[in-house]
Each structure stands twice: as structure tokens, then as C-alpha cells.
Amino acid sequence: MEGQQQLKKSKVVKIASRKSWEHHITYATNKGYPVMVHFSAFWCMPSIAMNPFFEELASTYKDVLFLKVDVDEVKEVASKLEIKAMPTFVLMSGGTPVDKTVGANPDEIKKRIDHFIHQSR
């Protein structure tokens, strides 16, 4: 199995600037894709613990754009969306937040994505 040696490419896009944020949100809006954003911080253990789960979600939901924003690196975006705690997960549609989950709660996050996707079909 030679394919097993390769590292899987992440399906989560790490946002490093406001410009990158705007580019990806515009892209998703133009394509009609919902966006799921994981607001985190490198020093926040619950945020770090959620990374594998978020990667798994990104592999499962192909028509959703998954973004990760470090609140200390891209403060402008975190402030604009009123992120007060980490981890916070924001579901967006058409560039607008439609749902927010604060805390490391994988079941709740998955339930909300499922609900949104089935609702929008």
C-alpha cells in the first residue's frame, strides 16, 4: 500500500490575514458554499483538542469550506465576529454568520452542520 505513506492534505484552510479571510469568504459566497470557521488560539488546549475533529468534518462535508482562524494572529476578524472565547465555531452562509457554538462540543457542532445542510437543500 504505497498510498498509506503519504500524509493526508488538510482540507481545513488556515487563515493568516484579513485579506485571506475576505478572499475565502468571497469565494465561498460566489460558489454558494456554506463556511464553517474554527476560531482558536495556539495556547488553548480545548481548541487544539478539536483540530482532529474539525479535520474529520472537513473530509466529510465536501461542499462546506472549513476555515481555521487563530484569534491572536487575525484579531480583526475575531473582533468583527465578536469572538469572546475559544474554541468558537461559526457557521456562515452568504458571508453572514448563521450559527455559533462556543466550546469544545463535537456532537453539537456536527448536529448544527447537519441541520443547516438539510435545511438549505
Side-chain angles (χ1 to χ4, degrees), residues 5 16 24 28-29 31 35 38 43 47-49 56 65 82-83 93-94 101 105 113 119 121:
Q5 294 296 330
H24 284 91
T29 299
K31 293 283 187 182
V35 179
H38 176 192
W43 46 263
S47 288
I48 293 166
E56 187 180 308
L65 177 61
E82 299 178 356
I83 304 304
S93 180
T101 305
N105 188 339
I113 291 176
Q119 181 183 35
R121 282 189 179 160

Side-chain angles (χ1 to χ4, degrees), residues 1-7:
M1 303 276 173
E2 70 184 64
Q4 289 181 334
Q5 294 296 330
Q6 295 179 346
L7 290 175

Side-chain angles (χ1 to χ4, degrees), residues 4-21:
Q4 289 181 334
Q5 294 296 330
Q6 295 179 346
L7 290 175
K8 286 184 184 174
K9 185 176 179 339
S10 174
K11 295 194 175 8
V12 176
V13 178
K14 186 174 186 326
I15 300 298
S17 67
R18 183 182 55 80
K19 187 175 180 181
S20 173
W21 169 263

Side-chain angles (χ1 to χ4, degrees), residues 39-105:
F39 286 94
S40 65
F42 76 91
W43 46 263
C44 175
M45 287 303 128
S47 288
I48 293 166
M50 289 297 288
N51 287 338
F53 168 74
F54 201 65
E55 287 284 349
E56 187 180 308
L57 285 179
S59 295
T60 303
Y61 297 94
K62 307 274 190 237
D63 292 335
V64 177
L65 177 61
F66 286 81
L67 304 179
K68 183 175 177 191
V69 177
D70 185 306
V71 297
D72 294 323
E73 292 177 12
V74 195
K75 291 178 179 154
E76 200 174 343
V77 172
S79 177
K80 182 181 175 188
L81 291 175
E82 299 178 356
I83 304 304
K84 309 280 188 223
M86 278 67 67
T88 295
F89 297 87
V90 177
L91 186 57
M92 301 178 71
S93 180
T96 305
V98 294
D99 195 23
K100 183 188 280 189
T101 305
V102 178
N105 188 339

